[in-house]
Amino acid sequence: MKKKYDIIIVGGGVAGKLAASELAASGKKVAAVENDLWGGTCPNRGCDPKKVLVAAVEARSNANQLIGKGIESAPDVNWPDLMAFKKTFTDPVSEQTKKSLIEAGVDTYSATVEFINENSIRVNDDILEADQFIISTGAHPSILDIEGKEHFLTSDDFLSLPEMPETVTFVGGGYIAFEFAAIANAAGAKVHVIQHNKKPLKAYDQEFIKELMKQLEDKGVTFHLDINITNIQKSSNQFILTDEDNFNLTTDLVFGTTGRIPNIENLKLENAKIEYDKKGIKTNKFLQTSNSAVYAMGDVLSKSQPKLTPVASLEASYLVSLLRGKTEESLIYPEIPTIVFSSPKVAQVGVTPSQADKDKDKYDIATIDATDWFSYARLNEPVSLVKIITEKKSGNLVGATCMNNEADVLINLFSILINKKITANELSDIVFAYPTIASDLSSLLA
């Protein structure tokens, strides 16, 4: 059966839902197609459930830090109970998302999509045509192509583990490995992280990352750097990981944490004359693909900006305005904060220390050890470090990197200062509630 729409959204994640609902509300005839869970990765098996698990890490870490200072012992993490709590957030998402789209007047299809030509797609037994399309299919875990790769579990599996085993191993040293390592460690597992070179979390300041690794090692996490795993062999109920030299590690579970790749392999983009590369779909500054009728947004894009849910939502809001004729301007991205929810947390925004170090005539770098500051000393945090990047000519804050248990709060404050170009003098005129993380800002920028 053939059906015609004004706009078809391919992908029913956070950004897809936002775009579909708002375009339907503007009077357009809209369809949305999703081949997995409605709501996408973030609320189902990504940032939201991960943050629920992180709450247990925070509770245990805070208690451990205060042992002998009013707290007698740290609580144990009951993994089944924690997972049951997580499911109260994730289980309703898909059904609620689909229901909200239907209530908004969007036709929904649960199916895999493939383009037939420039303006039509195949969805089950239907052919859907549209004047315009938005592709928002997200990304999925990458699997290292080695012998025994079928034994790799993914981040999806970790977030659904019924029980925490005695030993878990993460192959790959990015965001997911550091975050899950902290979670598994807090839940009582012996944790190994294997990285193929000496620079895990390479996008971050390596001085801070070395300190983060030290903090995790003090808690029992083991890092193996410069190890290229080439084989995974199942042995009874365990797995043996080896390389081409003498590395040998036995573990109960092994997770592939070597990043994510865009969900484009089944779309048959070439039929619609849509260009792409290994990082995703290529677009211009208006998020328009090489097919002028097709736009793309979110983690499926080939872009330099971080592939994060709030960035996808920003792109969705922009496309709604563009397609409704509310703007003719190109999309301008703000400085976007990123964070590793490990223990402690590490976050950055704007110009990084490595970028500033390469252009010393333009930037100043100040490193501040705030471990003894009241905000952190009251919780007996083992480390609190901040690097401030200022532009020499204007004196304005242009970048910040921080590592402490409150880095998620602190980096958002820095983001406001940077994006709104608030100067140190203007900041000094603001009275913050005291004592809080925000009340430290003036001292950090002094």
Side-chain angles (χ1 to χ4, degrees):
M1 181 184 297
K2 278 192 176 183
K3 298 180 182 180
K4 178 68 185 294
Y5 293 91
D6 295 323
I7 298 176
I8 295 175
I9 314 295
V10 182
V14 173
K17 175 192 173 184
L18 188 158
S21 299
E22 295 197 12
L23 289 168
S26 71
K28 294 185 180 294
K29 187 177 181 182
V30 179
V33 190
E34 173 57 51
N35 71 342
D36 194 4
L37 294 174
W38 291 92
T41 296
C42 182
N44 282 295
R45 51 169 80 104
C47 37
D48 287 359
K50 174 196 71 183
K51 194 68 185 292
V52 174
L53 304 187
V54 166
V57 179
E58 293 172 330
R60 182 169 171 77
S61 293
N62 288 339
N64 265 318
Q65 289 166 190
L66 292 172
I67 289 177
K69 294 176 170 54
I71 299 295
E72 292 186 358
S73 63
D76 291 330
V77 174
N78 183 308
W79 187 258
D81 285 355
L82 180 59
M83 292 302 287
F85 182 49
K86 181 223 69 169
K87 285 170 65 68
T88 66
F89 294 91
T90 57
D91 282 1
V93 169
S94 189
E95 182 179 345
Q96 289 180 356
T97 300
K98 185 176 181 180
K99 181 180 178 182
S100 70
L101 285 168
I102 294 171
E103 291 175 346
V106 178
D107 286 353
T108 59
Y109 297 84
S110 296
T112 298
V113 168
E114 61 178 44
F115 278 89
I116 299 172
N117 52 43
E118 286 115 313
N119 65 350
S120 61
I121 58 175
R122 187 186 310 279
V123 177
N124 293 327
D125 296 327
D126 295 321
I127 304 298
L128 307 185
E129 297 180 349
D131 297 325
Q132 294 168 316
F133 293 83
I134 300 176
I135 302 174
S136 182
T137 49
H140 63 274
S142 171
I143 298 298
L144 201 60
D145 189 13
I146 62 173
E147 188 174 350
K149 64 182 180 181
E150 66 274 12
H151 300 307
F152 274 124
L153 297 179
T154 69
S155 57
D156 297 352
D157 299 308
F158 183 86
L159 291 170
S160 298
L161 277 181
E163 299 282 348
M164 180 60 67
E166 290 186 10
T167 306
V168 296
T169 300
F170 302 97
V171 178
Y175 286 79
I176 297 172
F178 274 77
E179 292 175 340
F180 287 0
I183 293 169
N185 171 260
K190 173 64 178 175
V191 179
H192 296 267
V193 177
I194 302 173
Q195 170 68 5
H196 69 94
N197 59 27
K198 292 183 179 180
K199 286 192 173 183
L201 287 171
K202 62 182 179 180
Y204 283 84
D205 181 73
Q206 287 301 297
E207 181 183 347
F208 280 18
I209 298 309
K210 288 178 182 177
E211 180 60 34
L212 172 58
M213 291 171 63
K214 178 183 178 299
Q215 294 297 321
L216 288 170
E217 285 171 341
D218 289 345
K219 295 174 182 178
V221 176
T222 302
F223 289 90
H224 307 274
L225 303 183
D226 265 345
I227 299 295
N228 278 293
I229 296 298
T230 56
N231 183 279
I232 303 173
Q233 184 178 353
K234 186 173 176 57
S235 175
S236 186
N237 293 322
Q238 293 184 305
F239 301 91
I240 301 172
L241 283 60
T242 56
D243 67 358
E244 293 182 346
D245 294 318
N246 298 315
F247 182 82
N248 187 294
L249 176 67
T250 300
T251 184
D252 293 321
L253 293 178
V254 54
F255 294 86
T257 51
T258 49
R260 297 175 68 81
I261 54 179
N263 288 323
I264 58 175
E265 57 265 33
N266 297 317
L267 292 176
K268 296 190 177 180
L269 297 174
E270 54 279 355
N271 291 345
K273 299 181 180 178
I274 298 170
E275 296 179 1
Y276 60 92
D277 57 25
K278 65 180 182 180
K279 296 198 306 183
I281 294 174
K282 300 165 72 172
T283 61
N284 62 18
K285 59 185 179 181
F286 299 95
L287 299 182
Q288 187 177 43
T289 72
S290 51
N291 177 342
S292 62
V294 181
Y295 298 81
M297 62 184 181
D299 291 2
V300 77
L301 287 181
S302 176
K303 61 181 178 181
S304 58
Q305 290 78 19
K307 294 189 175 185
L308 303 170
T309 299
V311 181
S313 296
L314 172 72
E315 292 161 350
S317 295
Y318 166 76
L319 281 178
V320 168
S321 295
L322 183 72
L323 297 179
R324 291 181 61 189
K326 299 294 185 180
T327 183
E328 295 181 352
E329 301 295 323
S330 61
L331 174 60
I332 298 176
Y333 291 93
E335 295 292 346
I336 299 167
T338 61
I339 184 164
V340 183
F341 285 97
S342 192
S343 182
K345 306 180 185 89
V346 178
Q348 67 183 20
V349 64
V351 178
T352 65
S354 62
Q355 291 170 333
D357 196 52
K358 293 175 183 176
D359 200 349
K360 294 181 179 179
D361 291 335
K362 186 175 181 180
Y363 302 111
D364 284 322
I365 305 175
T367 301
I368 301 163
D369 186 344
T371 307
D372 293 332
W373 291 24
F374 179 76
S375 295
Y376 310 101
R378 73 180 182 86
L379 296 170
N380 199 34
E381 292 194 28
V383 62
S384 178
L385 299 173
V386 180
K387 286 191 178 182
I388 300 294
I389 314 298
T390 53
E391 188 179 52
K392 287 186 176 182
K393 184 176 180 180
S394 65
N396 286 347
L397 175 69
V398 292
T401 300
C402 51
M403 178 172 63
N404 48 49
N405 289 345
E406 289 74 34
D408 48 348
V409 175
L410 188 56
I411 206 65
N412 282 331
L413 296 171
F414 281 134
S415 298
I416 294 171
L417 299 182
I418 292 171
N419 283 301
K420 296 303 180 182
K421 294 181 169 56
I422 297 174
T423 66
N425 286 337
E426 291 171 331
L427 182 63
S428 66
D429 292 334
I430 302 173
V431 178
F432 293 100
Y434 177 87
T436 61
I437 298 301
S439 63
D440 289 336
L441 287 175
S442 293
S443 298
L444 288 169
L445 297 185

